[in-house]
Amino acid sequence: MAEAVRQDVLLSVKNLVKHFPIRQGIIFSKQIGAVQAVDDITFDIQKGETLGLVGESGCGKTTAGRCILRLIEPTSGQVIFDGKDVPSLSKEELRELRKEMQIIFQDPYGSLNPRMTVGDIIGEPLHIHKLAKGAEKEKRVREILEVVGLSAFHARRFPHEFSGGQRQRIGIARALAVDPRLIICDEPVSALDVSIQAQVINLLQDLQTEFDLTYLFIAHDLSVVKHISDRVAVMYLGKIVELTDKTELYRNPKHPYTQALLSAIPEADPTIKKERIILKGDVPSPINPPQGCRFHTRCPKVMDICRSVEPEFVDSGHGHFVACHLVPAAQGAQKMA
Ligand code: SF4
């Protein structure tokens, strides 16, 4: 990503928190705890950039994406989109903003209404946002279908008549219909066959160039985001533990969790031997996350300090942010806040 683009922030997420309360009792229910799904995450996305957000299932990445769009209400923190504070917008202002921020869902089977034709599915946001109606809407639907590699006649068909890859193209077309600037791609290829994954990722890249789109690309696998991302943020148990340029992350991962994730990616060249880092145990519960560094119960490099003191998320040099006691901050660097 060009430096010029980096200086032009479209989305700024600051200290975002989402805790889901756990209640007990039916009539006089009281809160007895909280699922700490997202716990104080901070990052920016520049115009035209793709930021990959990666982590195991349950780490909070999808919740973060939904809080950014306010599909669920954040507990606290700031989400600034093009200068507007998303959590403080009224319903009407939010509806206006939804034209500019769209989402592509993970499940191309469950995310399309089986009773609606493809034309109605793609035309619905045009109707809701009063962007087109009648013949103009139909023309726009036909155009978008062709942009995503389908045909105009597909508008009359129903979702069950399509393969998984084609359905995901319909989901992409629905997101594109309102001419958005930011698209949150929530694991858009994880339900697809590997050969189809590459097609959909290539399509997303072509669309990004053609329509000047910005992506937050959520995935549970570092190999999926490698191709499409400019920078990558790695999440563990509600926290971002590492964030840097894609090339730097794959060449020089600094956080032990990122190192373990990268070691699990199969190497295409059989002459290259790499040591697989096997993490012990399961991911702890986000209801009661470990004190200190949340990764300490599974970290192969754990030290005493890790069990009690939470590491700060600091710039270790050239914008390579890491939260680990083993990685010192660069001289004069600030923590991300
Ligand atoms: Fe491992 Fe400690 Fe670093 Fe956490 S702070 S990743 S436990 S070395």
Side-chain angles (χ1 to χ4, degrees), residues 255-256 293 295-296 299 301 306 311 324-326:
H255 195 283
C293 172
F295 187 55
H296 86 249
C299 181
K301 299 178 180 172
C306 308
C324 174
H325 290 303
L326 285 171

Side-chain angles (χ1 to χ4, degrees), residues 191-256:
L192 305 177
D193 292 342
V194 175
S195 58
I196 309 295
Q197 287 185 358
Q199 289 175 17
V200 172
I201 287 179
N202 287 340
L203 171 66
L204 287 168
Q205 283 190 304
D206 292 345
L207 295 173
Q208 181 169 38
T209 309
E210 190 172 345
F211 297 106
D212 199 16
L213 295 168
T214 302
Y215 292 145
L216 175 63
F217 194 99
I218 297 170
H220 60 256
D221 183 342
L222 271 169
S223 61
V224 169
V225 295
K226 187 175 185 180
H227 190 57
I228 195 166
S229 303
D230 296 299
R231 288 182 304 143
V232 178
V234 179
M235 268 188 94
Y236 183 80
L237 208 55
K239 300 260 184 199
I240 294 180
V241 297
E242 187 157 10
L243 191 167
T244 186
D245 180 75
K246 169 180 72 176
T247 312
E248 168 71 1
L249 187 94
Y250 288 83
R251 193 175 48 83
N252 182 26
K254 294 186 177 177
H255 195 283

